[in-house]
Amino acid sequence: MADRSGREISSAIAVPAGQRKRHSALVRVTHWITTLAFLALLLSGGEIVLSHPRFYWGETGNVNTRPWLNLHLPSSRDTVPTGYGYVLPDENGWSRYLHFQAAWLAVGTGLLYLLFGFFAGHFRRNLFPAASDLSMKPLGASLLRHLRFERPDKEEAWSYNMLQRLTYLFVIFVLFPLMIWTGLAMSFGFTSEFPWAVRLLGGQQTARSLHFLVTILLVLFLFIHVLMVFVAGFRNRMRAMITGRATPPTE
Amino acid sequence: MSNIPRRKFITTGLAVAAGASGIAVAAKVAQHHGLLPPDAGGIYGPGEALTYAAQRILGRHSMAREFSSTEISTSPFANEVDPLGDEFKRLQAANFVEWRVTVDGMAARPTSFSLAELRSFPTSTQVTMIGCEEGWTYIAEWTGVPLSHILDRVGALSGVRYVVYRSIQLDWWESVDMADALHPQTLLAHRMNGSELPVPFGGPVRMRVPRQLGYKNVKYINRVTLTDNLKPFGKGRGGAAADGGYAWYAGI
């Protein structure tokens, strides 16, 4: 190799002709670990809900009290009045094990991502919007393009558009922390040490209800996120998130 | 070829090796400080060990939340238990005067206490929440003998690491570490909401461990064993729930 300047070497080795760098290795790795952990949490969490598919506000709630939400699903416990003539098998043992292990994985990955995001400039470069971009007009136009399922323009192949940025920021800095907080607020060991964590939320059952409601928001996000990947071009976007490289859009 | 990929390969290899040995060292240190739960093996071992160690490091002496008496649930839920056996029914018919709690194992003075003796010991009262791993909760006032008082009475030996407690119900038992066994809120509860503990809620005597979930709060206690090793009990995972695939530590 004649030229040892990092940029040329890495582009000569890593990026085939016609492709450009899109996502850093750390973003890709944390993205897929988070995906794995999220699916494990969703599966095991849904399973745990089946042992008591009713939700309450405040501190206490059980089959003798009125729920604000009854999912009307069959249950894995015969003590829950469901209206179904059968009881599902008890899968809470492995579900709870998996839920907490996946939660540790998600939290660890999230911390790594946050460090990278703040110190390596990922947030500044790719997520934090410039103040000038936050006016209603371009945001409205972007929203309209999304609602029409229009393919993104050329520029968006290389960075996130404003709607994307705001959504990702909301998921990363609002929904994920809320999920962790409401989850920990249900742990007796945790709330013994940090009682305000559950008191601030309004009680043990409120924490459980919020944990469930934020799950619905995250599933909604997942659904739209995957839909948008298809709208924007599934192969190219998947290649970008797996190999880190993308092909410029042809028009 | 450039030496960059090889360098990358070597650094990645070193990082993986360092990570693996780091985990091995962490596990050894955790073991030494009693921070590994008995179910720390297997695929869910890492998550379980992290939860248990984190909660023991952060709040070994933390107190479960206590509530005001106005917050006591008007409709608590007893949950169901397997049908109570003939032995229980015989004792119940005689108003539990013959009920005994035998304390044995690593004790200088193993003793069998009658219910009347237990009731005569100093009591502690708490208004705390009981929560099931299924997700439901209620709040009640519990009164009972602190387990630490019983351990003092029988002269617990210094090497005790776990307290195993059994129900009169066959195959219903659990255990706690010394952080919970000596914790002031851990009670052999015999009263609830100002009355004798009702049978559906575990009367005449129930273990109350308010920093852990309902399944550690075993009903109908008639035996307590002090030990330094959970291996000989059941499948060696420290409790009937753990033997059945649940986590031994239920602080989460």
Side-chain angles (χ1 to χ4, degrees):
Chain A
M1 276 270 167
D3 189 346
R4 288 199 168 253
S5 82
R7 189 183 186 86
E8 273 201 30
I9 285 182
S10 75
S11 62
I13 290 168
V15 184
Q19 294 192 356
R20 278 171 60 188
K21 281 286 271 184
R22 177 67 180 93
H23 297 298
S24 66
L26 199 121
V27 163
R28 283 178 278 138
V29 169
T30 53
H31 175 272
W32 291 116
I33 296 179
T34 304
T35 307
L36 185 76
F38 181 77
L39 293 178
L41 283 159
L42 188 63
L43 171 81
S44 54
E47 209 304 307
I48 295 165
V49 163
L50 286 181
S51 65
H52 198 83
R54 297 153 57 101
F55 292 90
Y56 315 88
W57 298 121
E59 292 284 8
T60 58
N62 56 60
V63 292
N64 294 333
T65 65
R66 260 177 88 88
W68 69 267
L69 174 66
N70 185 343
L71 295 180
H72 294 290
L73 291 171
S75 173
S76 55
R77 299 295 186 277
D78 59 4
T79 48
V80 182
T82 59
Y84 293 85
Y86 56 93
V87 176
L88 299 170
D90 172 18
E91 309 286 351
N92 274 23
W94 66 262
S95 295
R96 287 173 46 79
Y97 268 130
L98 177 61
H99 202 73
F100 304 134
Q101 178 137 303
W104 275 108
L105 183 65
V107 167
T109 307
L111 288 178
L112 189 68
Y113 175 78
L114 282 184
L115 281 178
F116 174 79
F118 280 114
F119 294 110
H122 169 61
F123 290 152
R124 186 169 36 75
R125 266 198 319 275
N126 302 321
L127 282 184
F128 294 150
S132 58
D133 292 333
L134 280 176
S135 65
M136 288 317 286
K137 214 171 156 191
L139 270 182
S142 177
L143 184 63
L144 217 62
R145 279 207 308 281
H146 278 80
L147 290 176
R148 291 194 194 118
F149 295 115
E150 284 175 17
R151 283 177 79 102
D153 59 29
K154 263 185 174 164
E155 191 193 328
E156 288 180 11
W158 308 113
S159 76
Y160 299 131
N161 66 57
M162 205 41 53
L163 213 55
Q164 241 179 325
R165 287 179 188 228
L166 293 179
T167 307
Y168 291 167
L169 285 172
F170 185 69
V171 168
I172 293 164
F173 289 105
V174 178
L175 296 188
F176 282 167
L178 259 180
M179 214 57 201
I180 296 167
W181 179 9
T182 53
L184 286 171
M186 285 187 272
S187 154
F188 286 115
F190 187 84
T191 59
S192 297
E193 186 62 22
F194 306 106
W196 49 264
V198 60
R199 293 228 194 260
L200 269 178
L201 290 173
Q204 179 92 4
Q205 291 298 335
T206 301
R208 182 170 176 264
S209 289
L210 292 175
H211 201 67
F212 178 72
L213 290 174
V214 180
T215 304
I216 292 177
L217 291 181
L218 284 174
V219 170
L220 199 67
F221 164 75
L222 174 70
F223 182 74
I224 295 172
H225 181 60
V226 172
L227 186 70
M228 286 300 146
V229 168
F230 276 99
V231 171
F234 182 78
R235 284 179 63 96
N236 205 28
R237 291 294 152 111
M238 281 300 268
R239 186 195 298 126
M241 197 43 98
I242 294 169
T243 67
R245 299 179 295 273
T247 321
T250 49
E251 271 175 76
Chain B
M1 272 302 283
S2 154
N3 59 0
I4 297 279
R6 191 188 307 150
R7 192 191 298 161
K8 210 168 182 178
F9 180 77
I10 291 170
T11 42
T12 309
L14 283 175
V16 168
S21 46
I23 290 171
V25 169
K28 271 265 183 282
V29 172
Q31 177 81 46
H32 179 75
H33 291 280
L35 294 173
L36 283 188
D39 53 349
I43 48 167
Y44 299 122
E48 212 38 44
L50 277 170
T51 301
Y52 178 62
Q55 295 205 347
R56 280 297 172 258
I57 290 168
L58 276 177
R60 196 173 183 82
H61 303 289
S62 64
M63 298 292 281
R65 289 194 298 148
E66 301 222 10
F67 299 83
S68 77
S69 52
T70 59
E71 290 173 283
I72 291 172
S73 299
T74 48
S75 39
F77 178 56
N79 210 357
E80 62 178 15
V81 295
D82 290 337
L84 291 153
D86 291 342
E87 172 72 354
F88 185 90
K89 286 180 183 147
R90 186 181 67 78
L91 293 162
Q92 184 180 18
N95 207 19
F96 298 118
V97 289
E98 285 181 56
W99 189 277
R100 300 194 81 81
V101 177
T102 303
V103 185
D104 56 14
M106 294 174 62
R109 301 173 294 278
T111 316
S112 175
F113 299 105
S114 70
L115 191 58
E117 281 177 292
L118 282 179
R119 286 174 175 162
S120 73
F121 294 157
T123 59
S124 172
T125 295
Q126 53 174 265
V127 179
T128 50
M129 176 184 285
I130 191 160
C132 181
E133 49 87 23
E134 296 157 17
W136 51 269
T137 53
Y138 67 87
I139 293 170
E141 182 193 81
W142 311 87
T143 298
V145 197
L147 182 60
S148 62
H149 179 80
I150 301 291
L151 298 193
D152 278 348
R153 269 187 183 266
V154 300
L157 303 181
S158 61
V160 177
R161 290 187 58 204
Y162 302 99
V163 174
V164 177
Y165 43 95
R166 294 174 177 283
S167 171
I168 196 169
Q169 299 267 64
L170 276 177
D171 303 324
W172 195 8
W173 62 285
E174 285 296 330
S175 64
V176 288
D177 63 4
M178 297 318 279
D180 269 326
L182 299 174
H183 191 270
Q185 288 173 313
T186 301
L187 311 178
L188 279 171
H190 51 72
R191 296 181 74 77
M192 177 181 164
N193 295 338
S195 316
E196 283 179 11
L197 184 58
V199 168
F201 289 92
V205 188
R206 165 181 216 171
M207 189 62 78
R208 189 71 189 100
V209 193
R211 295 197 303 177
Q212 295 203 43
L213 290 170
Y215 68 81
K216 301 298 278 192
N217 294 253
V218 172
K219 296 170 175 175
Y220 322 120
I221 297 290
N222 69 351
R223 190 163 170 207
V224 174
T225 305
L226 318 187
T227 183
D228 60 353
N229 179 16
L230 291 170
K231 282 278 179 314
F233 299 86
K235 294 181 191 166
R237 294 168 68 87
D243 280 355
Y246 277 78
W248 170 77
Y249 180 64
I252 189 168

